[in-house]
């Protein structure tokens, strides 16, 4: 391929910067110290608008000059991107072909790593629980890694898992022994599964043993027979003796004396009195022994 030759000519921009700067400083100094007041608000707005116009004019001029100077650079970038596209079109099929073979090599490494894992699990008698944690790591699939480094890493991970497994077996033996001892004192036996959640959460052995003893104590308390209370004899109180009273024959046959009836009398009278005396008469008639009816009442004329 022929090399791309570029003749670079750096853009040179000449301006009367110092002259314009001095003139601008002189111009803006006239506006310094202006205080905005209610009376001069209209003039201040006009002044601000004038300064904004001057600022925008300078910025627009900057953008226009930059665009003109950047035009050769933009053309050059466009040409380079076109050349890159030509190379990429030729590169892509090759890149895809390489990817196929690289993926094949990665899969071969994956299968080899699985073989190493299986061999290590069998060699160290790892249980299924811990064998599941031996997975194929992403770093095993790098094309630059060697099979020996993969095997060594798997072996190291296996030994670490083996230590955890041995610790768990020791814990299980202690727990099973505690459960066995507790079951000798109760009828409803405890099981290892009853405490499996605590084991899986890596609870301290002392805490698990404490929980076993606590549950066993509850079962013992529930299974303990309650003492039978002796039946209390019902003490019957003696019935009171009924005394028989003899009644003379003459009293039994004698009838109760009937009250003697008295004759009743009535008077029809007209009473004239003041209010107080009439009130006293009414209270008297309301007493026992009187039955009266008011047939007429009113006020008399003097």
């Amino acid at each position: 391929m022929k090399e791309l030759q570029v003749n670079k000519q750096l853009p040179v921009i000449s301006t009367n910067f110092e002259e314009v700067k001095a003139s601008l400083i002189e111009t803006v100094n006239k506006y310094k110290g202006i205080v905005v007041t209610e009376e001069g608000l209209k003039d201040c707005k006009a002044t601000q608008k004038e300064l904004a116009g001057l600022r925008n004019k300078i910025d627009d001029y900057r953008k226009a000059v930059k665009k003109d100077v950047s035009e050769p650079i933009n053309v050059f970038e466009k040409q380079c991107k076109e050349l890159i596209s030509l190379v990429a079109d030729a590169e892509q099929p090759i890149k895809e072909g390489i990817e196929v073979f690289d993926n094949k090599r990665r899969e071969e490494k994956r299968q080899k790593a699985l073989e190493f894992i299986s061999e290590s699990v069998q060699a160290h008698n790892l249980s299924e629980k811990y064998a599941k944690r031996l997975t194929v790591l992403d770093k095993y699939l790098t094309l630059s890694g060697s099979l020996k480094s993969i095997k060594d890493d798997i072996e190291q991970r296996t030994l670490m898992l083996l230590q955890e497994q041995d610790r768990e077996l020791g814990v299980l033996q202690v727990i099973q022994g505690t459960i066995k001892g507790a079951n000798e004192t109760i009828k409803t036996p405890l099981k290892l599964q009853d405490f499996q959640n605590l084991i899986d959460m890596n609870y301290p052995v002392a805490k698990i043993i404490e929980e076993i003893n606590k549950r066993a104590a509850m079962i013992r308390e529930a299974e303990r027979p309650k003492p039978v209370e002796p039946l209390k004899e019902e003490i019957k109180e003696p019935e009171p003796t009924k005394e028989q009273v003899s009644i003379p024959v003459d009293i039994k046959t004698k009838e109760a004396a009937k009250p003697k009836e008295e004759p009743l009398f009535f008077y029809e009278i007209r009473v004239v009195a003041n209010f107080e005396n009439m009130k006293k008469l009414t209270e008297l008639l309301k007493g026992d022994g009187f039955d009266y009816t008011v047939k007429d009442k009113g006020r008399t004329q003097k």
Side-chain angles (χ1 to χ4, degrees), residues 99 101-114 116-117 135-147 149-151 153-154 157:
E99 187 69 18
F101 283 94
D102 285 348
N103 288 338
K104 182 180 179 181
R105 289 181 59 194
R106 291 189 184 96
E107 183 60 28
E108 290 173 353
K109 281 197 167 185
R110 180 190 299 276
Q111 295 301 324
K112 201 64 180 177
L114 290 174
F116 292 153
I117 290 174
T135 57
V136 178
L137 303 180
D138 290 340
K139 66 179 183 179
Y140 297 165
L141 306 182
T142 57
L143 300 179
S144 58
S146 65
L147 294 178
S149 64
I150 296 174
K151 186 175 183 180
D153 189 75
I154 291 174
R157 291 170 61 199

Side-chain angles (χ1 to χ4, degrees), residues 6 74-75 104-105 114 156 164 236 268 274 297:
V6 180
N74 295 334
V75 173
K104 182 180 179 181
R105 289 181 59 194
L114 290 174
Q156 183 179 1
E164 290 187 36
K236 296 183 179 180
E268 289 187 4
N274 60 22
K297 64 180 179 178

Side-chain angles (χ1 to χ4, degrees), residues 18 20 24-25 44 74-75 107 120 168 186 197 222 225 286:
E18 295 298 334
V20 173
L24 185 59
I25 291 174
C44 289
N74 295 334
V75 173
E107 183 60 28
S120 186
E168 183 178 334
I186 56 180
N197 60 330
K286 287 182 178 179

